[in-house]
Amino acid sequence: MSLPPLTPEQLVKPRHFELRMSLIFATLFVSLGTHLPYFPLWLQAKGFHAEQIAVILAAPMFLRVVTTPLLTALADRARDRANVYIALVAASMLLAAGYFLPPTYAIVLVVSLALTVVWTPHSPIADSLALSGVRRFGSNYTSMRKWGSISYLCANVVGGFILARTGAEAVPAIIFVALAAALAAGLLAPRLGRPRRASPLSAADIQHSAPTLLNAYFLYFTLGVGIITASHAFLYGFVSIYWKSIGISDTVVGLLWAWGVVAEVCMFVMFTRIFGSVSVATVMLIAAIGAIVRWIAFPLIWPLGLGIAGFFGVQTLHAVSVAMVLIGLQKMIGETVSEERTGAAQGIAYFFNGFFMAVVTLASGPLYDRFGVDGFLAMIPIALIGLALIALAARSAPQRSVGG
């Protein structure tokens, strides 16, 4: 199906489009780069035990799997997606202020659930705006999106320095201020009107396209990706708490998180040069093995006396267990899914990733409560299941690409 032609208004490039989108990405990822490593520390500081932390982290994941595709589809049907983005950022800032209320378990859980509904769509809507600029005006996506990675990295590092001085009490304030900055940048968002075709991430489109996508190769592959990704749930939920428990400072915790992001970016830069001729199934098998090695190594670093240097070493595997999974998934979709169904493919992959991550995050609380860092060992069989699914995908791989 061909796209309808651009209107005369849509052919006019907004002034400083790339600069304005770069600012949106830069402010968008500060709050995310603070929440992932430091929000569990704040929860622990407020007296929540590991099982409660797991529920507070996991429950929003279950919810956003349903709500995010609906809101992104709504944004595509609005008069202008920028207006929806601004409204969602403003709502996020107001709801984040809920963390300043007395931090009872019920209040924090309700605030987290409400916040995830309006917070999670920020990134896909910003991506949608940027990609419209790529299609209409020939803008460079990576030159805009890189500022999100840079700000995420800075949030990891600077957040660690701030917490070293203030303690975990500062986490809600950092998130609130970061969302306020994102709102200020959002007010400058370029207006592009509606996209020429509604987002294929809607539930209706996914349902329509699913019968042609859920072949054995696609199903095994996306399930494998979701499960390998989910094996990182224990890391995301409890590694900061573990590092603090063995006396590692907030500053170093931030640097360890940032080092994983640096390794991830390096893989994005070098992937084509190193793995450009490797099959996508092989790429994913390497990623799964990298995850397994990572979960074996984590509980051994401190007992073996490898110290902080050992944790930096194992964090380098983020380039394999995370970056290669992200790249491999997109490479598979690009090679085997026709263009008009790529959005539905992304939506199905998003569902698997989100659902399995939520399930394993929920289980990670009792694991950490009972076994501490040895809970990483429970991530090994999860990654092995993902490895087996990728192996099954490799056996059913199509003989040629969709464009072949």
Side-chain angles (χ1 to χ4, degrees):
M1 182 186 298
S2 60
L3 293 171
L6 290 166
T7 65
E9 293 80 9
Q10 290 174 323
L11 288 169
V12 177
K13 182 178 181 179
R15 292 183 62 192
H16 309 299
F17 175 82
E18 290 82 3
L19 176 62
R20 291 156 73 181
M21 287 306 308
S22 297
L23 185 61
I24 285 173
F25 282 122
T27 53
L28 162 64
F29 280 90
V30 175
S31 55
L32 298 173
T34 302
H35 186 273
L36 181 61
Y38 302 121
F39 187 64
L41 292 178
W42 180 76
L43 294 173
Q44 185 189 48
K46 292 303 177 183
F48 298 115
H49 56 71
E51 290 189 18
Q52 291 175 318
I53 292 173
V55 172
I56 291 169
L57 296 177
M61 295 180 185
F62 285 110
L63 182 60
R64 71 190 187 200
V65 165
V66 177
T67 59
T68 299
L70 295 176
L71 284 172
T72 53
L74 174 66
D76 281 349
R77 289 166 172 78
R79 182 179 296 275
D80 199 297
R81 287 160 289 172
N83 296 332
V84 178
Y85 178 81
I86 292 167
L88 290 173
V89 175
S92 299
M93 186 181 72
L94 292 174
L95 287 169
Y99 289 130
F100 298 125
L101 297 172
T104 66
Y105 177 59
I107 287 176
V108 173
L109 180 58
V110 169
V111 170
S112 297
L113 287 168
L115 182 57
T116 199
V117 173
V118 293
W119 193 3
T120 308
H122 295 184
S123 183
I125 293 176
D127 278 333
S128 174
L129 288 169
L131 290 173
S132 286
V134 171
R135 295 188 182 101
R136 297 180 189 181
F137 319 122
S139 300
N140 187 316
Y141 175 78
T142 56
S143 70
M144 297 179 285
R145 177 58 177 78
K146 71 181 179 183
W147 293 104
S149 298
I150 292 169
S151 69
Y152 188 94
L153 180 65
C154 291
N156 290 167
V157 176
V158 175
F161 281 104
I162 293 173
L163 265 62
R165 287 181 170 271
T166 66
E169 294 287 340
V171 171
I174 297 171
I175 292 173
F176 181 83
V177 171
L179 288 169
L183 178 58
L187 294 173
L188 300 175
R191 269 50 176 185
L192 299 174
R194 292 186 180 92
R196 288 185 287 169
R197 182 183 295 165
S199 169
L201 285 176
S202 67
D205 273 323
I206 290 174
Q207 183 179 8
H208 174 74
S209 298
T212 58
L213 287 172
L214 297 188
N215 55 76
Y217 177 68
F218 181 85
L219 182 61
Y220 285 138
F221 200 102
T222 50
L223 281 170
V225 166
I227 291 173
I228 294 168
T229 301
S231 76
H232 292 70
F234 193 86
L235 174 84
Y236 294 150
F238 293 96
V239 76
S240 292
I241 294 173
Y242 165 65
W243 281 332
K244 289 285 291 179
S245 74
I246 58 176
I248 295 177
S249 70
D250 291 297
T251 301
V252 176
V253 168
L255 292 172
L256 284 165
W257 277 98
W259 184 250
V261 178
V262 170
E264 182 180 329
V265 172
C266 288
M267 178 57 74
F268 285 139
V269 172
M270 299 186 298
F271 178 85
T272 301
R273 187 182 310 167
I274 300 173
F275 298 104
S277 60
V278 177
S279 73
V280 68
T282 302
V283 167
M284 202 61 67
L285 290 171
I286 295 170
I289 293 168
I292 293 165
V293 171
R294 199 176 182 186
W295 312 144
I296 292 172
F298 243 111
L300 301 176
I301 298 296
W302 206 247
L304 292 178
L306 299 177
I308 292 172
F311 287 125
F312 273 103
V314 78
Q315 279 294 85
T316 305
L317 286 172
H318 206 73
V320 179
S321 68
V322 173
M324 289 182 70
V325 170
L326 293 172
I327 297 169
L329 174 63
Q330 299 307 317
K331 186 174 168 64
M332 181 277 290
I333 291 175
E335 289 177 351
T336 63
V337 178
S338 58
E339 185 176 357
E340 66 270 17
R341 295 192 177 98
T342 55
Q346 299 281 4
I348 292 167
Y350 175 87
F351 175 83
F352 286 153
N353 284 0
F355 178 78
F356 290 124
M357 179 65 78
V359 170
V360 181
T361 298
L362 194 60
S364 294
L367 284 171
Y368 187 78
D369 200 33
R370 182 167 182 180
F371 300 108
V373 70
D374 289 336
F376 272 112
L377 300 176
M379 300 299 106
I380 297 170
I382 294 172
L384 282 169
I385 292 170
L387 178 68
L389 286 165
I390 296 299
L392 289 172
R395 293 180 60 183
S396 56
Q399 296 303 306
R400 59 191 182 92
S401 70
V402 72

